[in-house]
Amino acid sequence: MANVTIPNLPIVTGLTGAEQVELVQGGVSKRTTTEQIASYTRSATVSASLQVLFDYGAGVVESGVQGYMRVPFNCTIDSAVVLADQSGSVTVDIWKCTYAQFDAGSTYPTAADTICGGNPIALSSATKASSNLSGWTTSLTAGDVLAFYVPLNATSISQITVALGLLRSFS
């Protein structure tokens, strides 16, 4: 955020020569130095999500890489869910590589680049499932490329949505 000038703000020079600004908090008047205000940093975390849909129309979701997605910002995965159009079974593994490495799976990303740590998202005779993220690599960097891989054909499912819940930190 850029500095914003506040017109007519009373600034007082203290005995030490430091500039001070009077602030009111909870009805109590306080003074702070302009250096303290300038050094204030705000830290916030914002929730976001990445969602990808795979639709096979009248057929079932087939094995293989279903698609790729580029991560838009630095973040941490805090949840992973798969939703299906009907009850059935399917497993989705997620692979990650950098944008510079990406070559559509010739060498990156591949199964060796999984972020799921042996614990991919799996539906078993259900329409929804979530992962507890145990063993996952949850840190994502802006520009990372994710591949969504289905190891075996789904049973009964023709459409799935994979949703990754993210936490984006600002400091």
Side-chain angles (χ1 to χ4, degrees), residues 35-106:
E35 288 83 12
Q36 288 172 319
I37 293 172
S39 69
Y40 173 75
T41 57
R42 183 184 74 165
S43 178
T45 303
V46 176
S47 295
S49 73
L50 291 175
Q51 298 183 27
V52 62
L53 169 71
F54 307 110
D55 189 345
Y56 275 75
V60 297
V61 175
E62 296 177 359
S63 65
V65 174
Q66 301 301 309
Y68 302 98
M69 178 179 291
R70 187 170 179 266
V71 177
F73 43 75
N74 296 339
C75 57
T76 303
I77 299 170
D78 75 338
S79 66
V81 173
V82 64
L83 305 170
D85 63 335
Q86 56 193 311
S87 185
S89 299
V90 68
T91 298
V92 180
D93 196 4
I94 303 170
W95 305 340
K96 175 181 85 165
C97 69
T98 66
Y99 181 78
Q101 292 172 321
F102 179 75
D103 60 8
S106 293

Side-chain angles (χ1 to χ4, degrees), residues 110-140:
T110 64
D113 302 310
T114 183
I115 66 170
C116 297
N119 186 24
I121 310 167
L123 283 176
S124 181
S125 300
T127 58
K128 63 183 184 257
S130 62
S131 173
N132 62 12
L133 304 180
S134 176
W136 281 47
T137 300
T138 57
S139 180
L140 301 175

